[in-house]
Amino acid sequence: MSSIESPLDLIRLSISERVYVKLRSNRELRGVLHAYDQHLNMVLGQVEETVTSKEVDEETDEEIVKKSKREVDMLFVRGDVVILVSPPLKST
Amino acid sequence: MLFFSFFKTLIGKTVAVELKNDVILTGTLHSCDQYLNLKLSSVTVVNGDKYPQLGCLKNAFVRGSVVRYVQIPSGEVNTELLEDATRKENAPKKREVAK
């Protein structure tokens, strides 16, 4: 019998794998999932955070998309800012 | 309960708490509770030049709900133990046997 019965079981199978996490305020994380709970509080390791921001060029009125990245060794993420968690992608 | 226990193991360690308003506080974790409210001592504000009003902050109680991230010294964490505890806590509930 499959051990997937609830949506959270999908995340359970991603423990100690690299996952993609989308957060509020245009933030994304990629890191190794070490722990989570039912609120989606998480501990991730070897995290890369990407913050995407948009700026409007004053002269040309064009929107410029800025991405800033930083790396953190180990990070606790509070569950209420989490939008989605995706299992490891082969490409990441 | 998992993360409550986890934060209890970090008491006395130096952590950086990033709040939802982008303030980053570093300090020694003094205590925590079940809501993941945190008490920090010997606090410094990382991006302090942006928040001069926080310059005199020495000890802080941070309400759990305003926290976005907590950066943890990775050497202090036994990741294997953490993963096993997570699997245990989130183990699929055994179905009650019908009849």
Side-chain angles (χ1 to χ4, degrees):
Chain A
M1 198 181 76
S2 157
S3 62
I4 300 185
E5 290 174 11
S6 78
L8 279 176
D9 290 341
L10 191 70
I11 299 172
R12 185 168 186 267
L13 297 174
S14 308
I15 292 173
S16 79
E17 306 267 7
R18 269 193 108 69
V19 292
Y20 165 83
V21 184
K22 188 175 164 64
L23 304 179
R24 294 174 72 150
S25 64
N26 297 315
R27 285 161 199 269
E28 297 164 299
L29 302 175
R30 284 181 177 81
V32 180
L33 182 66
H34 290 309
Y36 73 92
D37 65 8
Q38 69 270 35
H39 307 288
L40 290 182
N41 293 323
M42 289 184 282
V43 171
L44 300 173
Q46 296 148 42
V47 190
E48 184 192 65
E49 185 202 38
T50 310
V51 185
T52 310
S53 58
K54 270 186 184 170
E55 282 177 16
V56 177
D57 190 312
E58 288 186 2
E59 290 171 11
T60 58
D61 254 15
E62 277 178 82
E63 277 192 346
I64 304 163
V65 180
K66 263 189 163 178
K67 285 194 174 186
S68 59
K69 293 192 179 187
R70 67 169 170 160
E71 294 191 356
V72 184
D73 258 1
M74 189 145 294
L75 196 66
F76 164 83
V77 183
R78 192 168 164 95
D80 58 358
V81 298
V82 172
I83 294 174
L84 72 84
V85 183
S86 167
L89 303 169
K90 290 277 173 332
S91 58
T92 51
Chain B
M1 246 18 211
L2 176 76
F3 287 98
F4 177 34
S5 316
F6 174 64
F7 275 109
K8 278 198 285 194
T9 67
L10 293 173
I11 285 172
K13 309 285 194 289
T14 302
V15 294
V17 181
E18 181 170 336
L19 309 183
K20 285 177 181 150
N21 63 359
D22 296 331
V23 174
I24 303 176
L25 305 172
T26 54
T28 308
L29 188 61
H30 182 274
S31 58
C32 70
D33 66 11
Q34 55 166 329
Y35 304 108
L36 307 184
N37 298 324
L38 305 173
K39 261 168 84 176
L40 300 175
S41 50
S42 33
V43 173
T44 52
V45 185
V46 171
N47 36 10
D49 42 346
K50 268 167 76 183
Y51 309 97
Q53 71 275 28
L54 298 179
C56 57
L57 209 59
K58 281 286 156 287
N59 297 294
F61 173 94
V62 182
R63 186 177 152 102
S65 64
V66 302
V67 171
R68 180 187 290 134
Y69 301 138
V70 182
Q71 293 178 35
I72 299 155
S74 60
E76 307 291 351
V77 182
N78 181 341
T79 53
E80 257 176 54
L81 209 68
L82 198 56
E83 288 169 8
D84 285 345
T86 305
R87 288 197 186 92
K88 221 178 209 177
E89 174 133 328
N90 298 296
K93 298 269 185 306
K94 286 209 179 104
R95 294 242 190 93
E96 282 177 38
V97 183
K99 99 181 145 172

